[in-house]
Amino acid sequence: IKGLSVHAFNLAAQEVGGDYYDVIPIDERYVGFAVADVSGKGIGGALMMSICRSVLRAHASQKTDPAVVLREVNRTMIGDIYEDMFVTMIYMIYDTETRELSMARAGHDPALILEPEAQEVHRYESGGMAVGLVEPELFDNIIDTKTITLEPESVVVVYTDGITEAMNNRNEEWGLDPLSRAIIAGKTRTPSQISEIVRERVLRFVGEMPQYDDMTLMVLKMD
């Protein structure tokens, strides 16, 4: 992609997973990036996420405001999503001409951004509730879009909570701080190398403990 490279991985906890990541070409100038997590497990969760993917891609065309897209996704899915399920999602749109990254969160963990000269990872917050959890009137009022202009060599990481909440045999969670340290350790590396550092560290922490939640990570790095 002009101006950046991207790499992602998904490790499903069961035969099928409920996590989802995607790269969506919007037009010649804009590219969308999505990471999502469904509350349900197994076949039901996977089917619901498959529906969510189709709805997202249907509404993403020609729209450059992530919050607008997620409002449409929630409005479409609210009547069909299973009563005991919801979907958290972060949707980002990159402008290849201005190097601006816009993002909206539907109840999902914030994106992590590491600027080239920074010593700490920044959590990029924005308002929003999960898809399928509340009616459109409330959802539409809460969700918003935040935009940042990315410097060369900046790193953006988006993930599902299966990464930070991965547990070892002492019932300890891996957490956000170890994830941040892994990103900092790989800041001069490629997106695929940063992904591998995170994957190696979280799996080493988990050890022989059975994986109970899907793990998904997406890494963007500016050229």
Side-chain angles (χ1 to χ4, degrees):
I1 300 167
K2 179 183 175 183
L4 64 79
S5 301
V6 60
H7 185 270
F9 73 77
N10 167 261
L11 300 175
Q14 301 180 14
E15 290 292 326
V16 293
D19 280 6
Y20 158 62
Y21 71 83
D22 208 350
V23 179
I24 304 172
I26 298 171
D27 57 26
E28 293 183 355
R29 176 172 174 175
Y30 296 96
V31 182
F33 301 94
V35 171
D37 184 2
V38 66
S39 60
K41 304 295 183 187
I43 297 294
L47 287 173
M48 187 53 60
M49 188 58 79
S50 179
I51 294 170
C52 186
R53 174 190 185 273
S54 298
V55 172
L56 173 65
R57 281 186 158 254
H59 288 296
S61 178
Q62 304 302 315
K63 295 185 181 73
T64 58
D65 185 334
V68 169
V69 176
L70 292 184
R71 288 185 185 112
E72 293 298 325
V73 171
N74 183 68
R75 192 174 297 275
T76 301
M77 292 193 65
I78 191 68
D80 295 325
I81 199 165
Y82 301 144
E83 186 174 343
D84 60 343
M85 283 189 183
F86 57 86
V87 176
T88 70
M89 180 183 296
I90 184 167
Y91 182 53
M92 308 183 295
I93 297 177
Y94 176 65
D95 185 335
T96 60
E97 294 187 7
T98 66
R99 301 174 72 93
E100 289 181 333
L101 184 71
S102 300
M103 62 188 79
R105 295 190 306 126
H108 202 86
D109 287 327
L112 303 178
I113 299 179
L114 180 62
E115 299 288 359
E117 303 302 322
Q119 301 302 313
E120 295 183 353
V121 174
H122 176 65
R123 283 165 57 91
Y124 213 69
E125 305 274 359
S126 61
M129 298 185 71
V131 170
L133 199 59
V134 296
E135 293 299 320
E137 291 75 16
L138 179 56
F139 185 96
D140 293 357
N141 287 333
I142 294 175
I143 197 164
D144 60 354
T145 292
K146 300 293 186 183
T147 301
I148 184 173
T149 301
L150 296 172
E151 301 295 329
E153 303 300 316
S154 295
V155 177
V156 180
V157 175
V158 187
Y159 60 96
T160 60
D161 58 14
I163 297 282
T164 52
E165 296 177 4
M167 299 186 73
N168 62 17
N169 58 12
R170 295 186 295 277
N171 290 324
E172 299 168 332
E173 292 186 352
W174 194 50
L176 182 61
D177 288 343
L179 172 58
S180 298
R181 289 195 292 270
I183 296 168
I184 293 170
K187 66 183 297 184
T188 62
R189 312 284 186 87
T190 65
S192 61
Q193 290 170 330
I194 296 171
S195 293
E196 186 56 34
I197 290 171
V198 173
R199 173 160 37 185
E200 188 275 331
R201 290 190 181 190
V202 69
L203 293 182
R204 183 174 58 193
F205 172 84
V206 169
E208 299 301 318
M209 189 73 170
Q211 183 182 343
Y212 75 95
D213 197 6
D214 303 327
M215 299 182 185
T216 300
L217 185 92
M218 177 181 284
V219 180
L220 283 65
K221 186 170 185 181
M222 302 299 298
D223 296 340

